[in-house]
Amino acid sequence: MQAWRVHRNGEPSEVMRREETDRPTPGPGQLLLRVRAANTNFPDALLCRGQYQVRPPLPFTPGVEVCADTEDGRRVIATAALPHGGFAEYAVADAAAVLPAPEALDDAEAAALHIGYQTGWFGLHRRAGLREGETLLVHAAAGGVGSAAVQLGKAAGARVIGVVGGAEKAAAARKLGCDVVVDRRAEDVVAAVKDATGGRGADVVYDPVGGDAYTASARCTAFEGRIVVVGFASGDIPAPALNHALVKNYSIMGLHWGLYNREDPEAVRRCHDTLTTLAAKGLIKPLISDRVAFADAAAAVQRVADGTTTGRVVVLPEGAGR
């Protein structure tokens, strides 16, 4: 079969190589999947660089998120079990983590649902307890992770402020349904958020960026607000001033969604049922900015690594996917 493999760590465009290799053999409790579509995620770039919390043995195939067919003909979504990732004709996944693909979503959309929307739902609802009528501030609102949070926030009845970088991403955030869009390249984020909230600030902040985004968040969080730390796409891990959290009465919450797969897998399945219902109602739909050919997988992962993408970029194996 054809697969993209990484033999040494480095930038995705430099270390991902397209090769002919054997079809993987699933281990105990695993399934072989024929890939319909593979979503590109920032963790794929970190895996290539050797900077992710999981470091599969070399060589490995990246691609942590797929829509695929099981050998018995079911259309499913799954997180691939590395080293046999989704940028290949066939991948492997743990059977317990395989979920039915929502009928309301095509293959590319289904491939982009699981990680981003599960992370958003757990972050906004399980961790932050987002309530109808509250103000939600989403950083990188036009990105893959942020766009999911925007849609979930709107579905929950929140007023959503989206922070983006550039006019193109601002247009995408408005299309997603953001009530207010702040272009961090042209505006002062703190001033804009305070102006949009009458000086009160945001009740919930969803931050997959870290660095300056987190610093701004702490300055425009409302009384009893909640900052959900999702990741550090900026590459800068901030050091929170806990005295500031104390005097302003806000909470800082970490979210490592992958832990729920181990600690509370039933909650993940319940969340999937909720997401499937929301998709059927048209309340959520992954923003797919590009559906790329299999030959362009390495370039797609590099674009995600460089932060130049809007929404999701999905890789379609030759002859597969919609």
Side-chain angles (χ1 to χ4, degrees):
M1 70 167 189
Q2 288 285 301
W4 283 90
R5 305 179 83 197
V6 174
H7 292 262
R8 62 181 177 86
N9 294 127
E11 287 302 300
S13 61
E14 298 172 358
V15 301
M16 287 179 62
R17 296 192 339 217
R18 184 177 179 177
E19 299 175 347
E20 184 71 29
T21 187
D22 293 334
R23 187 180 299 183
T25 300
Q30 294 184 325
L31 297 177
L32 180 68
L33 302 177
R34 183 180 67 83
V35 178
R36 285 172 167 259
N39 183 38
T40 56
N41 284 276
F42 192 64
D44 292 316
L46 295 179
L47 283 162
C48 290
R49 293 168 174 166
Q51 296 174 348
Y52 197 53
Q53 54 258 44
V54 176
R55 299 190 68 174
L58 297 168
F60 68 90
T61 296
V64 297
E65 188 172 29
V66 299
C67 175
D69 291 322
T70 61
E71 291 185 282
D72 59 5
R74 291 176 292 134
R75 179 173 171 262
V76 300
I77 62 174
T79 50
L82 300 178
H84 305 298
F87 298 137
E89 293 181 69
Y90 288 86
V92 170
D94 294 333
V98 169
L99 298 166
E103 294 182 3
L105 303 179
D106 67 24
D107 291 342
E109 292 162 349
L113 176 75
H114 190 54
I115 296 175
Y117 284 82
Q118 286 264 346
T119 299
W121 193 93
F122 274 90
L124 298 180
H125 292 286
R126 179 113 172 196
R127 300 294 286 137
L130 179 67
R131 296 184 291 271
E132 183 177 359
E134 288 193 313
T135 296
L136 167 65
L137 173 63
V138 179
H139 289 284
V145 174
S147 61
V150 168
Q151 292 182 353
L152 289 167
K154 294 298 294 182
R159 181 175 184 241
V160 180
I161 301 174
V163 178
V164 299
E168 181 182 353
K169 294 188 177 185
R174 292 188 186 95
K175 189 174 181 179
L176 283 165
C178 286
D179 299 282
V180 178
V181 176
V182 180
D183 184 350
R184 60 179 173 78
R185 295 180 181 174
E187 303 173 75
D188 181 292
V189 172
V190 176
V193 172
K194 288 187 175 180
D195 182 64
T197 58
R200 184 172 184 276
D203 298 293
V204 175
V205 177
Y206 191 80
D207 180 14
V209 178
D212 291 341
Y214 177 86
T215 301
S217 300
R219 295 176 57 201
C220 58
T221 301
F223 171 73
E224 292 195 328
R226 291 87 77 199
I227 300 175
V228 185
V229 178
V230 184
F232 311 104
S234 68
D236 183 0
I237 300 176
L242 297 184
N243 61 321
H244 191 258
L246 184 153
V247 299
K248 286 196 65 178
N249 270 39
Y250 63 82
S251 302
I252 305 166
M253 302 177 172
L255 175 65
H256 177 193
W257 170 74
L259 283 179
Y260 288 98
N261 285 303
R262 186 182 75 195
E263 301 293 340
D264 193 354
E266 184 55 37
V268 173
R269 290 187 172 272
R270 290 196 303 269
C271 178
H272 180 67
D273 292 341
T274 298
L275 296 176
T276 299
T277 299
L278 290 174
K281 292 179 178 179
L283 295 174
I284 61 171
K285 187 182 184 71
L287 173 63
I288 309 298
S289 62
D290 204 357
R291 301 165 190 244
V292 305
F294 187 72
D296 298 323
V301 178
Q302 189 63 57
R303 287 165 56 197
V304 172
D306 293 341
T308 61
T309 56
T310 298
R312 293 295 192 180
V313 178
V314 178
V315 175
L316 302 178
E318 294 175 4
R322 287 184 280 151

